[in-house]
Amino acid sequence: MSTTGADQSTWRQAGEQLPRSARRAGALLWRGFQRAFIFSSIWAAGSVAALTGFACHIMEVPATMPALLVFCSAIFVYNLDHVADAHVQKMTDADAIAYFRSPGVLALLSVAAIATGWLVSTAPLPAQACFAIYATAGLLYGLPIVPFPKRHGGWRLARLKEIPFSKGWLVGGCITIGTVLMPAMWAGRELDWAVGQLALFIFVFVSSNTHMFDVRDIDSDREHRVLTLPVAFGVRRTKHALILLNLVLLACLMWGWAAQIAAPHPEMVLSSAAAVLWILLLDTKTPRSIYGTLIDGCCYLPAMLVLIHHAGF
C-alpha cells in the first residue's frame, strides 16, 4: 500500500535532499532490483531456500538438492499466485500488474516447472511424497478450484487462500513441510523432538511474516472479501496476537533446551526477536516495496546468523 499524507511528504523530502543524478540512479537501481528479484519472486524463493539450508544445518543433513528444489518450486508457485492475483484480485501497483501479465512470466514459469520436475525425479520416494503435499498446497493456494458459498446464495470457485483465516497458516504449514520435513525424508533423518522443535520455529517464523503481508493487503482483502486476521480483528490486535505467538514459541524453545530434548540454537532466538521487531515497526502506511524486500529478506536471517557464527564472530 502506498504511503499517504505526512508519510509521502517525509519520503519526498528525504529524496529531495540528494543530488538529482543520485536520485535518478537510485530510482533506476531500485526499479531494476524490483523487476529482477522482487516481481520475479527470486528474492522470496531464495529466502525459502535459505530457510531450507538453515533447517538442514540444524538437522545435520545435506542441503544442496532440497534447497534447489524448494527454490525452483517456490519461483513457480509464487509467480503462478501473482499471475492469478493480477487477473483476479486487482493489485495496486501498476508496474506489478504489467509485469505479471507479460509473456516473460510465462517463460519463467516454464523454466521453473522443468527444473522442479527434474529435481523431484532425483529425490527418494519419501521426499517425493512430502514434496507432493507441499506442491499441491502451493498450487491450490492461488487457483480458483475450491467450491465456496456466495454471499447471496449459490456457489462459486474460490482460491484456497480465500477460505476465512486460512491464508497465513496455510503458507506457514506449506513452507514448514518443504523446508523441514522434505529434507529430513530426503536424508532418511529420524523425526525426533529436535526436528519437531525446528518445525515449530519455521512455522511460527513464516506465519508471522505472512500475516504481516495481510496487514499490507488489508484494503484489497477487504474489498474482495478475503477474511484474514487483520480484516476481521484489525491491525493492532493482529500484531498483538503475532507477538504473543512468538513469545510462546520462545518459551517452547527454552523449555526444550532446558529439558535437553534438543541442542540450543541462539539463531532461533535472535530471528524470533527480529520478527517481533518488524511486527512492531511495519503498518498499513509502510510502502509495499518495503514489505516485499524487508520481510522476505528477513527469512535469510537464520542462515546468515549460522554463517556469522561459524565465521567466528
Side-chain angles (χ1 to χ4, degrees):
M1 180 182 297
S2 299
T3 52
T4 57
D7 296 278
Q8 286 182 336
S9 177
T10 301
W11 283 87
R12 184 168 56 253
Q13 291 173 5
E16 289 174 350
Q17 294 176 1
L18 297 172
R20 181 177 298 176
S21 58
R23 294 202 304 269
R24 186 181 298 113
L28 288 173
L29 286 173
W30 178 248
R31 182 180 175 87
F33 175 78
Q34 288 278 305
R35 292 187 69 87
F37 295 98
I38 304 298
F39 290 170
S40 66
S41 294
I42 290 175
W43 182 251
S47 71
V48 182
L51 279 178
T52 306
F54 170 74
C56 290
H57 165 77
I58 299 298
M59 294 186 294
E60 298 180 339
V61 299
T64 302
M65 296 301 282
L68 280 174
L69 177 54
V70 165
F71 177 75
C72 293
S73 60
I75 287 180
F76 179 80
V77 170
Y78 284 152
N79 277 281
L80 186 66
D81 181 57
H82 292 325
V83 168
D85 277 345
H87 289 85
V88 178
Q89 183 171 336
K90 185 179 178 181
M91 296 176 173
T92 58
D93 191 327
D95 285 341
I97 293 174
Y99 179 86
F100 290 114
R101 292 181 177 178
S102 67
V105 174
L106 295 178
L108 180 62
L109 282 168
S110 299
V111 171
I114 293 170
T116 298
W118 177 79
L119 288 164
V120 169
S121 70
T122 66
L125 187 59
Q128 290 178 347
C130 289
F131 178 80
I133 298 172
Y134 160 76
T136 300
L139 291 173
L140 293 180
Y141 177 79
L143 296 180
I145 60 174
V146 181
F148 199 76
K150 292 183 179 179
R151 189 174 185 181
H152 301 292
W155 294 83
R156 66 181 177 90
L157 291 178
R159 292 175 292 171
L160 195 60
K161 67 179 182 179
E162 293 180 62
I163 297 175
F165 307 115
S166 67
K167 192 175 177 184
W169 310 119
L170 279 171
V171 174
C174 183
I175 290 181
T176 301
I177 292 172
T179 60
V180 178
L181 188 59
M182 186 184 67
M185 294 293 97
W186 199 311
R189 172 69 156 79
E190 179 185 359
L191 301 182
D192 53 16
W193 282 105
V195 174
Q197 189 180 70
L198 171 64
L200 178 63
F201 164 74
I202 296 291
F203 175 75
V204 172
F205 188 68
V206 173
S207 297
S208 298
N209 293 345
T210 307
H211 281 105
M212 286 308 297
F213 277 115
D214 290 341
V215 169
R216 181 197 69 178
D217 296 334
I218 186 171
D219 289 339
S220 177
D221 286 336
R222 186 182 287 124
E223 179 185 352
H224 292 84
R225 297 187 178 90
V226 178
L227 197 58
T228 62
L229 288 179
V231 170
F233 302 109
V235 172
R236 183 173 61 86
R237 290 180 178 177
T238 298
K239 286 188 170 191
H240 290 168
L242 294 177
I243 291 171
L244 178 60
L245 179 63
N246 278 273
L247 292 177
V248 171
L249 167 66
L250 287 172
C252 291
L253 294 177
M254 297 297 183
W255 172 80
W257 296 337
Q260 297 184 344
I261 64 173
H265 294 284
E267 300 92 348
M268 296 184 186
V269 175
L270 294 174
S271 297
S272 296
V276 170
L277 179 62
W278 65 69
I279 288 169
L280 289 170
L281 292 177
L282 299 178
D283 57 27
T284 56
K285 295 179 181 179
T286 305
R288 291 180 64 89
S289 58
I290 299 299
Y291 270 95
T293 305
L294 177 62
I295 295 185
D296 284 332
C298 285
C299 286
Y300 290 95
L301 183 59
M304 290 174 60
L305 290 172
V306 169
L307 293 176
I308 292 171
H309 175 71
H310 281 276
F313 293 100

